[in-house]
Amino acid sequence: MIFSAPRRRLPLLIAALAVLALASPFKRDARAVNLTWDPDTGWQTASGAPPGLSSLDDRRSALSLMNSARRAEERGSKGAAAKRYARVVKRYPTSIYTPEALYRGADLYLQRKQYNKAFDAYSQLIARYPNTDRFNEIIGRQYQIASALLDGARNRWWGFFPGFTDRGKGVQQFEVVVWEAPYSDYAPLAMMNIARGHQRLGNEMEAIDAYDRMINNYPDSLLGPDAYLRLAEAHASLVDGPEYDQASTQEAATYFEDFLILFPGDPGVARAEEGLDEMRTVLAQSKIKIADFYFKKRDNYTAARVFYNEAITIYPNSDIAEHARAQLAKVDAAAAKHQPSDNDGAGSAGGAKKKKRFLFF
């Protein structure tokens, strides 16, 4: 039975991108005209392609900026080229040059290790030109950026000064990848990295939620068995011992059992069996402790029998079960010792002093 962890809101970054895509003053445009570059003549378009600009001066200015940006790029002036591509996007958002400017600008940001700017530029390109032929390539670049940040790469300010490590940003960007391309090959990989990132940051509940989403949203993925096993281990990591609440222990045991049933030939079977053994041990120990309390502190033999038997049921072929059986024998002996005999009952009844009866009472 698959446990559904409470859904959490996607990071604010995703919501912001959704607003940008749907409420932006720039229209969501499926057109992405192929441009070709000639070092002598500059950027060329296919004949008949609409320029997307009404003013002849705007067309010339946009083309001039594009040519200037590409020449700066070829000279190795990546920063200057990126700025000029950004000007094309800002000043001429409806032109046929905008998708190319976004793409090349994002690539330059990535080369300069300006990871956040590169990622956002790629997202803007996908939001405005969802039918671009470069869709899979762009998602791959975004996956690359998120992986780098999650693994500790530092975003460079202005392309020179390294900032602080921000693994949480990598997790957020993986969420964006899933949101932008939920049916791509990258989506299950991104979900697994979201969970891995949360675990690395110490957010076990968020990791459990991510593994759960992975299992439910991508049940046929090759990563399914690994997600199942890691979900069980994530629950197991929340177990504090037999003295505490056993909800996480029970969840972990359930997922370990499900894994062994669903994936009997998986290489992770040994890990699952070991994990299940540990969870059953903790559960059985918790029942033993409760039974000991009723037996030794309350002389409640009925309750003690119930919990000792539950320990045996949870892990019948174990040392804990043998201990529970030994304790049951002690419970039976103690109960028999405290049970009054029939002779004692008769003697007490015969030797009882009769109560005097009075006329009016």
Side-chain angles (χ1 to χ4, degrees), residues 31-36 43-46 49 96 99-100 132-134:
R31 294 181 299 108
V33 177
N34 290 327
L35 303 177
T36 57
W43 288 103
Q44 304 291 324
T45 63
I96 58 174
E100 188 69 24
T132 175
D133 294 337
R134 292 167 166 164

Side-chain angles (χ1 to χ4, degrees), residues 112-337:
R112 288 164 56 83
K113 297 185 179 180
Q114 293 178 270
Y115 297 117
N116 295 336
K117 278 194 170 185
F119 191 94
D120 292 344
Y122 285 132
S123 288
Q124 190 178 357
L125 178 56
I126 287 177
R128 293 175 59 183
Y129 304 94
N131 295 327
T132 175
D133 294 337
R134 292 167 166 164
F135 184 88
N136 288 332
E137 178 188 351
I138 291 168
I139 293 297
R141 298 280 177 86
Q142 289 187 304
Y143 183 91
Q144 173 189 347
I145 293 169
S147 296
L149 290 178
L150 183 58
D151 290 337
R154 296 191 290 176
N155 182 66
R156 291 184 181 269
W157 296 99
W158 302 287
F160 298 104
F161 306 106
F164 295 105
T165 299
D166 191 357
R167 301 183 195 277
K169 188 71 172 180
V171 173
Q172 290 180 348
Q173 290 176 346
F174 277 124
E175 289 279 11
V176 175
V177 170
V178 174
W179 179 73
E180 288 176 338
Y183 306 110
S184 70
D185 292 338
Y186 288 103
L189 292 167
M191 284 303 313
M192 292 296 287
N193 277 295
I194 291 167
R196 178 173 69 91
H198 279 305
Q199 284 186 305
R200 192 162 189 173
L201 295 170
N203 305 325
E204 286 297 332
M205 293 306 298
E206 286 78 4
I208 287 172
D209 177 64
Y211 284 130
D212 182 65
R213 287 159 55 199
M214 166 65 200
I215 290 170
N216 284 286
N217 296 342
Y218 305 100
D220 299 325
S221 171
L222 294 175
L223 298 174
D226 191 39
Y228 241 108
L229 184 54
R230 290 180 183 273
L231 178 56
E233 291 174 338
H235 278 293
S237 70
L238 299 177
V239 175
D240 293 320
E243 298 86 358
Y244 299 90
D245 180 75
Q246 297 302 306
S248 294
T249 315
Q250 291 171 343
E251 289 288 352
T254 298
Y255 279 110
F256 280 129
E257 289 173 347
D258 288 349
F259 176 86
L260 292 171
I261 293 170
L262 295 172
F263 313 106
D266 191 86
V269 164
R271 276 169 58 195
E273 289 176 342
E274 182 180 353
L276 181 58
D277 175 76
E278 291 177 1
M279 294 304 101
R280 283 178 173 173
T281 298
V282 173
L283 279 174
Q285 286 174 341
S286 71
K287 301 300 182 183
I288 292 288
K289 288 187 176 295
I290 297 172
D292 285 346
F293 171 79
Y294 281 115
F295 177 34
K296 298 176 181 179
K297 303 295 184 182
R298 290 292 182 268
D299 293 331
N300 188 334
Y301 306 124
T302 301
R305 286 191 185 98
V306 169
F307 286 104
Y308 283 132
N309 278 307
E310 284 188 8
I312 295 170
T313 301
I314 290 170
Y315 209 170
N317 300 318
S318 66
D319 293 339
I320 294 176
E322 290 302 318
H323 174 71
R325 292 186 183 98
Q327 289 298 100
L328 279 172
K330 293 180 181 179
V331 170
D332 291 340
K337 184 177 179 181

Side-chain angles (χ1 to χ4, degrees), residues 75-114:
R75 290 195 307 269
S77 302
K78 297 178 181 178
K83 288 180 181 178
R84 290 168 192 174
Y85 284 129
R87 288 195 197 110
V88 173
V89 175
K90 184 176 181 180
R91 295 179 185 177
Y92 312 105
T94 61
S95 77
I96 58 174
Y97 306 113
T98 301
E100 188 69 24
L102 278 169
Y103 176 78
R104 301 200 72 82
D107 273 2
L108 289 170
Y109 287 137
L110 181 55
Q111 292 173 34
R112 288 164 56 83
K113 297 185 179 180
Q114 293 178 270

Side-chain angles (χ1 to χ4, degrees), residues 333-352:
K337 184 177 179 181
H338 286 80
Q339 182 72 28
S341 64
D342 293 340
N343 292 333
D344 291 342
S348 298

